[in-house]
């Protein structure tokens, strides 16, 4: 931490170099150096070898399932999360405080527990599965089961990013819209939704990032049939169990690159949306 | 990107605004009921029922089976290992969180935003990859693996690997909670303390810490819940050796795969209870934080 790297400033508070040095040191030891191992290990492969591993049909199928199901689950959570946040902020109903607290359950409940509980519910002999089974709907041990688990995992993200924005919203905006003759739906679509969009996108991105990498809750309900209901993280585990470290690492790198690319795209979209509405900031602070 | 669950003061905690009083912020009755029904059904099917199912399945074969499953020696050693992993990783990430928040929130320097992005990184890395990186370093074919084997140091398929994987996945929790909170507090109070002759440590213990104590506790609670419940990362490095390298979530998996469902759900119910206690403490902290904020703005 030389003085030339950071502009020399007079600090009243002590401890800057100690705190920053410790932060960077610990970050490097726990996160950066270990993660760089994925990149360096993959670089011992030639590009052809790397491509053969990640373009194998079974691997491609697992990528399609992981990213596809994560996107659909995040989209479903965006819609229902917004609705749930709206109900929690705007309406009063019995048990509201309890439901508000329980929304965070997927953050606190170990994923393996969620996995076996969802399997027990949605299996053909489960509470919900036995109702769906006669209608020809199979959830557990199919790609739909993967989707159910990912919806559970991502549920709190959208609710918790949208809820504070909804709470801070000035009611004057809606009153102005109403007094100018807007229908309720028009007010929502033209006034409220643009204000909520950045938070919705953040929640969507967080739910998606969590869902892509999720394994604990998925492996129980998925059935893990190759080419059908096998997720990408499970492919990494399978390769590791065969002591195929290079294969596991190549898949891991492809996963990291793909999910960062998608997150960057969502961030860019968010920045673009935010710049669109800088002229009409509608929030208290 | 924002933290997943930042300590926030819910508007309804203290004062309550009635949106249904004014026609401008009110929906038609049918619409309100539709929204409520859909949201609550979604909540029930995806969240409430799984939670209820854990306890119903756990007690399906009676209290006897339940208690036997929990007092099994393998279950007890899994409990011990889970507590140990959390007892090491939570304090380490707590100290890191405080150091990171002090540097980032109280000082200006180039690359700050980039540093925050890097701290968030473990949130967007798959837990399975978080386990894999330690195998790449300490595994038999890894960077340090052969050296560690020579010195009789077992990391992978042993307790140290489990601890390292847990530290990785819980890395950002405390820092992400403290950084925005300490930025919002500013540095005037600490600067006043220093000018009045306090040492840096005194300023930290007597000024900073009391100001952020609820946020700190909030981060620790969430960090602990994740540390005790982590599955993917720990599963990769554990080797699943019964009685030795099995944490509680891994023990649930083993029992479940042996079709010992009652025992699997019995152990799972302990973890579910832990989750409920976490949520209760979390709600209490939010309430206390809201009261403190209201008192400071009066």
């Amino acid at each position: 931490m030389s003085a030339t790297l950071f502009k020399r400033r007079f600090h009243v508070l002590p401890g800057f170099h100690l705190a920053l040095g410790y932060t960077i040191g610990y970050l490097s030891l726990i996160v950066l150096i270990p993660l760089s191992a994925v990149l360096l290990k993959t670089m011992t492969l030639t590009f052809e070898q790397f491509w053969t591993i990640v373009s194998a049909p079974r691997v491609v199928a697992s990528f399609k399932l992981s990213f596809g199901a994560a996107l659909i689950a995040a989209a479903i959570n965006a819609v229902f999360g917004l609705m749930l946040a709206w109900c929690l902020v705007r309406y009063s109903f019995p048990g509201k405080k309890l439901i508000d607290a329980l929304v965070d359950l997927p953050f606190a409940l170990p994923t393996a527990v969620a996995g076996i509980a969802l399997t027990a519910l949605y299996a053909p002999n489960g509470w919900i599965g036995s109702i769906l089974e006669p209608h020809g709907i199979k959830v557990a041990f199919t790609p739909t089961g993967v989707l159910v688990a990912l919806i559970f995992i991502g549920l709190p993200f959208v609710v918790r990013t949208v809820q504070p924005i909804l709470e801070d919203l000035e009611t004057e905006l809606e009153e102005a819209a109403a007094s100018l003759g807007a229908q309720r739906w028009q007010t929502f679509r033209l006034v409220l939704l643009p204000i909520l969009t950045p938070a919705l996108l953040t929640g969507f991105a967080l739910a998606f990032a969590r869902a892509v990498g999720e394994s604990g809750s998925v492996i129980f309900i998925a059935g893990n049939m190759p080419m059908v209901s096998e997720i990408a993280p499970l492919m990494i585990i399978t390769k590791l169990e065969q002591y195929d470290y290079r294969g596991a690492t190549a898949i891991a790198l492809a996963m990291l690159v793909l999910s960062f690319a998608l997150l960057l795209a969502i961030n860019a979209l968010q920045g673009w949306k935010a710049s669109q509405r800088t002229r009409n900031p509608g929030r208290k602070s | 990107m924002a933290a997943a669950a930042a300590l926030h003061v819910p508007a309804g905690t203290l004062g309550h605004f009635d949106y249904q009083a004014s026609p401008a912020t009110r929906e038609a009755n049918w619409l309100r009921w539709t929204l409520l029904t859909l949201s609550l059904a979604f909540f029930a099917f995806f969240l409430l029922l799984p939670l209820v199912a854990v306890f119903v399945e756990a007690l399906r074969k009676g209290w006897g089976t339940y208690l036997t499953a929990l007092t099994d020696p393998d279950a007890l050693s899994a409990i011990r290992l889970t507590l140990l992993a959390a007892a090491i990783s939570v304090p380490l990430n707590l100290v890191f969180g405080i150091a990171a928040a002090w540097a980032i929130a109280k000082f200006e320097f180039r690359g700050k935003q980039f540093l925050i992005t890097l701290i968030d990184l473990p949130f967007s890395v798959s837990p399975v990859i978080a386990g894999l990186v330690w195998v790449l370093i300490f595994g038999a074919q890894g960077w340090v693996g052969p050296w560690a084997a020579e010195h009789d140091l077992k990391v992978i398929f042993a307790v140290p690997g489990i601890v390292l994987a847990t530290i990785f996945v819980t890395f950002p929790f405390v820092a992400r909670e403290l950084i925005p909170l300490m930025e919002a507090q500013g540095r005037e109070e600490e600067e006043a303390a220093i000018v009045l002759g306090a040492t840096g440590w005194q300023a930290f213990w007597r000024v900073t810490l009391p100001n952020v104590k609820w946020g700190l506790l909030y981060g620790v609670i969430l960090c602990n819940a994740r540390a005790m419940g982590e599955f993917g990362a720990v599963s990769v490095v554990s080797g699943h050796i019964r009685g030795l390298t099995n944490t509680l979530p891994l023990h649930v998996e083993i029992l479940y795969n042996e079709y010992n469902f009652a025992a699997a759900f019995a152990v799972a119910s302990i973890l579910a209870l832990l989750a409920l206690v976490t949520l209760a403490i979390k709600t209490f902290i939010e309430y206390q934080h809201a009261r403190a904020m209201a008192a400071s703005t009066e």
Side-chain angles (χ1 to χ4, degrees), chain A residues 11-23:
Chain A
H11 295 308
V12 176
L13 299 181
F16 174 62
H17 292 120
L18 176 68
L20 189 67
Y22 183 77
T23 302

Side-chain angles (χ1 to χ4, degrees), chain A residues 177-197:
Chain A
S179 71
L180 291 170
Q183 299 294 316
R184 193 76 187 115
W185 167 247
Q186 288 176 312
T187 308
F188 177 75
R189 210 180 69 79
L190 299 172
V191 178
L192 298 180
L193 202 57
I195 299 172
L196 296 174
T197 304

Side-chain angles (χ1 to χ4, degrees), chain A residues 1 6 16-28 31-32, chain B residues 1 96-122 171-172 175-176 179 183:
Chain A
M1 303 309 109
F6 303 106
F16 174 62
H17 292 120
L18 176 68
L20 189 67
Y22 183 77
T23 302
I24 293 174
Y26 187 75
L27 176 74
S28 307
V31 179
L32 299 182
Chain B
M1 200 170 288
F96 160 74
I98 291 172
W102 182 262
I104 288 169
K106 303 289 176 189
F107 300 93
E108 297 304 324
F109 56 91
R110 234 183 293 168
K112 188 195 262 195
Q113 208 50 48
F114 183 61
L115 183 63
I116 296 177
T117 310
L118 288 181
I119 291 174
D120 268 346
L121 207 54
F171 181 85
R176 281 313 284 155
I179 292 168
E183 271 178 341

